[in-house]
Amino acid sequence: MANKQGQSVASGAFQMFGSRRRDQVSELLGDIFGRTDIEALASDWRGVVYFTLAEDESIDAETVLGFDASSGSSGELATIDDVLAAVRTGEVAEAVDVASFDAWRTATGTRSLDMGACVPPALYEFLGGDPAERSVESEDLVTFVATAAAIMGRLEKLGVEPGDEIPDEVFDEDYWK
């Protein structure tokens, strides 16, 4: 995994991180999850981040996990070898719903996603958004994930439960100073 530039599959539908992006996303995920053993590997056009955990007794270090910042869900997906094989063959594109990605590209006139970009839902799923309704413009992956984590953290600190009305304080920067 010493790739400095990264590798893009299917016009950016899946992106293996280069060393700089890997370090940046690993640090962000470490902050979010309160861990020091996360190594980010890749992301997909939807903003799902793929990573491993080096020091978890319940999960093999070769297991790739996914984190969807829009929904807040995470879980085990495959092994590193499976992911690398899927990247080599291009099959990873099907796993990340390349048909929907291609439809989005056609609808927006976008040729490809830049490395480190994603297309988040128009509204975060954890705020009631529909994952099928995508933003019309791409966004920086780190910004997307960091913003989602900040909003989730605010909701948690305010004690907001699923189904509750979202209080204005969540988006009030002065409240959080």
Side-chain angles (χ1 to χ4, degrees):
M1 299 274 183
N3 189 348
K4 288 191 184 292
Q5 298 299 315
Q7 179 180 353
S8 181
V9 177
S11 301
F14 188 83
Q15 303 172 6
M16 294 290 295
F17 296 141
S19 58
R20 187 179 64 76
R21 178 74 55 181
R22 181 174 32 252
D23 291 345
Q24 186 180 33
V25 176
S26 296
E27 182 178 339
L28 174 61
L29 292 179
D31 290 346
I32 292 169
F33 291 111
R35 301 183 68 115
T36 59
D37 65 334
I38 292 178
E39 182 173 1
L41 304 173
S43 66
D44 69 34
W45 72 281
R46 304 166 298 184
V48 175
V49 179
Y50 302 89
F51 63 97
T52 60
L53 299 172
E55 300 169 7
D56 194 303
E57 293 177 11
S58 64
I59 299 172
D60 187 287
E62 295 295 307
T63 298
V64 176
L65 297 96
F67 172 58
D68 181 352
S70 178
S71 67
S73 64
S74 62
E76 297 179 33
L77 300 173
T79 66
I80 292 174
D81 288 342
D82 291 340
V83 171
L84 294 176
V87 167
R88 276 192 303 278
T89 64
E91 290 177 21
V92 72
E94 296 304 318
V96 300
D97 191 13
V98 73
S100 292
F101 176 61
D102 288 342
W104 175 85
R105 288 188 317 119
T106 299
T108 61
T110 304
R111 291 193 56 207
S112 64
L113 276 183
D114 292 337
M115 184 62 71
C118 66
V119 183
L123 179 64
Y124 292 107
E125 289 176 66
F126 65 81
L127 293 178
D130 180 348
E133 295 176 15
R134 296 281 159 185
S135 177
V136 294
E137 294 194 24
S138 64
E139 186 173 328
D140 177 72
L141 174 73
V142 171
T143 301
F144 166 67
V145 172
T147 302
I151 293 171
M152 272 190 227
R154 289 176 177 186
L155 290 169
E156 194 174 288
K157 285 180 181 173
L158 291 170
V160 177
E161 296 291 328
D164 288 354
E165 190 169 317
I166 306 298
D168 292 338
E169 291 85 4
V170 170
F171 304 103
D172 181 356
E173 294 302 319
D174 291 332
Y175 181 88
W176 297 100
K177 287 184 179 179

